[in-house]
Amino acid sequence: MTAISFQGSSVQPIAVHAAFDSGNIEVRRIADTSAWLELRPDPGNAFKQWFHFAVIGAAGRELTLKITDLNTSAYPAGWPGYNACVTEDRLRWDRAPSSFDANEDGGTLTIRFQPRGDLAWFAYFAPYSLERHMDLVAGSAAAEGFGHRVLGWSLDGRPIDCLECGEGDRHVWLFARQHPGESMAEWWMEGALAKLADRSDPVARALRQKARFHIVPNCNPDGSFRGHLRTNAAGSNLNREWGTPSAEKSPEVLAIRDAMDETGVDFAMDVHGDEAIPHVFLAGFEGMAGLKPHQKPGFDLYSELLAAQTPDFQTRHGYPLTPAGRGNPAMATNQLAARFGCVSMTLEMPFKDHDDLPDPVQGWSAERSMQLGRSCLDALHLWFARR
């Protein structure tokens, strides 16, 4: 790379790359410590929102990074009020001051950050790598009372890992990252699994006595590794495949649903992240026809108990209620409620800061996602006690 003049001295311009697990960025041009960038969409569709890239050669200088053409992203409403995640040690992710201008270059997010050293990594949310996933699976499978099985295989040949524990007669299914860019969902899983594996935790012990847990930390390992926002290797949005999953387009969903058919489902939580809404909330199955009398009260009770467990959860903000008879059976929460007569739900966490308890340094974070996983199990313990 040729040296250029910068403030009177001969220095190298920065370099930007995303050639790693979950990386996603395209470089348009670089000048000194400024870069103009674009997102790479998922294959075969217009989904683009996730980014994860490294900046090399910053040398402690202030960076100006512009991600352009965001008016055509999957969720343009996700950019106003959003600050990008940044790390220099790849362990703790903070927030870099960012601003969005819908009128600049097709919609531009401008990230400004001055690293202490030469290297910095930026992402839409704290990434959860495939390597960390394998560590999570191995550590959980080795815990006392836990087992592991492979439900099936992804299109790229990766296992769909399922961790199991508990001796009860009720079947609880927890699954995450149908949408791979929603990495907070697997951080949530890490917190939930740590709690369930803690033999000294009385809530965990009681839960394992009451139920059999089936936990899929990552439903979409291919999309996660490839840096996709919402789809698998075939370009399928897995949370629109639950009605008629296929080995060709959605083997991940097919494997999970077949395993659910073997065990039955009494309680299910599908863990996600929402790009635009700066709150933690639940979405239900109220639009499905033929619901059983216990299902909606069971959902409402869990919401009430979770709100009492943690101020990070609320019930005022969320998705509009789906009118009766208009529920989409291709979505997991709806399909499971209709298929098994169970209480099922989608848990959503924010990509932005959390407006109920804002944190200007980290916003909504990996650490808070893990803590929410623990709180959700505390609420489930109380839910079992009331039903």
Side-chain angles (χ1 to χ4, degrees):
M1 193 174 290
T2 304
I4 62 171
S5 174
F6 181 80
Q7 294 185 350
S9 63
S10 181
V11 296
Q12 297 281 356
I14 61 172
V16 176
H17 84 102
F20 44 73
D21 182 346
S22 78
N24 185 323
I25 208 69
E26 301 287 347
V27 179
R28 289 175 54 188
R29 65 186 177 96
I30 292 175
D32 300 341
T33 57
S34 297
W36 288 260
L37 311 167
E38 290 185 2
L39 304 182
R40 185 183 70 247
D42 291 4
N45 58 65
F47 290 134
K48 61 177 184 179
Q49 196 102 4
W50 172 260
F51 61 87
H52 182 199
F53 61 89
V55 174
I56 301 171
R61 298 172 289 169
E62 184 175 7
L63 304 172
T64 301
L65 310 170
K66 292 181 175 287
I67 304 178
T68 63
D69 196 34
L70 294 181
N71 292 339
T72 64
S73 64
Y75 301 97
W79 302 114
Y82 166 79
N83 290 309
C85 295
V86 62
T87 185
E88 294 183 66
D89 61 10
R90 295 176 58 81
L91 296 173
R92 175 188 167 95
W93 289 80
D94 293 330
R95 298 286 176 149
S98 308
S99 60
F100 179 69
D101 186 344
N103 297 314
E104 179 184 350
D105 209 358
T108 296
L109 181 77
T110 300
I111 306 167
R112 301 185 188 277
F113 183 71
Q114 184 169 346
R116 294 181 295 273
D118 282 334
L119 298 168
W121 286 261
F122 298 84
Y124 191 36
F125 194 80
Y128 201 100
S129 70
L130 183 61
E131 194 73 18
R132 189 175 185 115
H133 166 82
M134 290 189 290
D135 290 342
L136 175 65
V137 170
S140 299
E144 182 182 353
F146 270 75
H148 168 267
R149 62 173 171 148
V150 174
L151 303 183
W153 301 87
S154 72
L155 289 167
D156 284 347
R158 296 187 173 93
I160 307 304
D161 295 300
C162 182
L163 296 154
E164 298 184 321
C165 68
E167 305 80 40
D169 57 2
R170 287 179 279 192
H171 290 275
V172 173
W173 280 83
L174 308 175
F175 53 106
R177 291 192 85 177
Q178 291 202 75
H179 297 150
E182 297 164 13
S183 55
M184 63 282 289
E186 196 157 5
W187 290 109
W188 183 99
M189 280 289 178
E190 185 169 320
L193 281 164
K195 184 178 182 68
L196 278 173
D198 185 353
R199 304 298 293 188
S200 67
D201 188 315
V203 170
R205 293 178 66 186
L207 282 171
R208 293 194 303 268
Q209 290 172 0
K210 293 174 181 177
R212 180 70 173 169
F213 284 82
H214 312 269
I215 302 169
V216 183
N218 190 335
C219 298
N220 194 343
D222 294 351
S224 302
F225 186 81
R226 289 167 172 242
H228 294 179
L229 175 69
R230 289 179 70 83
T231 69
N232 69 357
S236 298
N237 178 350
L238 295 186
N239 202 28
R240 300 299 184 273
E241 292 285 318
W242 283 77
T244 55
S246 70
E248 296 73 27
K249 290 182 56 182
S250 49
E252 304 90 347
V253 172
L254 181 62
I256 297 167
R257 203 189 71 175
D258 283 351
M260 290 176 169
D261 284 342
E262 293 173 3
T263 66
V265 182
D266 296 289
F267 180 95
M269 182 178 285
D270 180 16
V271 188
H272 285 258
D274 185 88
E275 291 78 1
I277 300 176
H279 304 275
V280 176
F281 60 97
L282 289 172
F285 46 79
E286 65 283 340
M288 294 300 291
L291 295 175
K292 297 181 179 179
H294 72 275
Q295 288 179 270
K296 185 61 166 60
F299 176 90
D300 293 340
L301 175 62
Y302 185 83
S303 297
E304 174 189 331
L305 293 171
L306 184 55
Q309 283 296 312
T310 172
D312 272 344
F313 176 75
Q314 53 78 53
T315 58
R316 300 179 306 281
H317 306 278
Y319 299 143
L321 294 179
T322 303
R326 299 288 297 276
N328 182 357
M331 298 175 69
T333 289
N334 291 333
Q335 174 67 209
L336 299 181
R339 193 180 192 90
F340 299 104
C342 67
V343 174
S344 61
M345 61 196 67
T346 303
L347 176 71
E348 298 281 359
M349 291 173 277
F351 280 88
K352 300 180 182 181
D353 200 355
H354 179 267
D355 280 6
D356 300 287
L357 285 173
D359 179 351
V361 176
Q362 285 192 292
W364 187 256
S365 64
E367 292 82 0
R368 290 177 79 175
S369 301
M370 288 191 284
Q371 182 56 54
L372 181 63
R374 299 182 185 97
S375 296
C376 286
L377 290 179
D378 289 332
L380 183 59
H381 164 64
L382 296 175
W383 188 82
F384 278 136
R386 297 272 292 271
R387 292 175 62 83

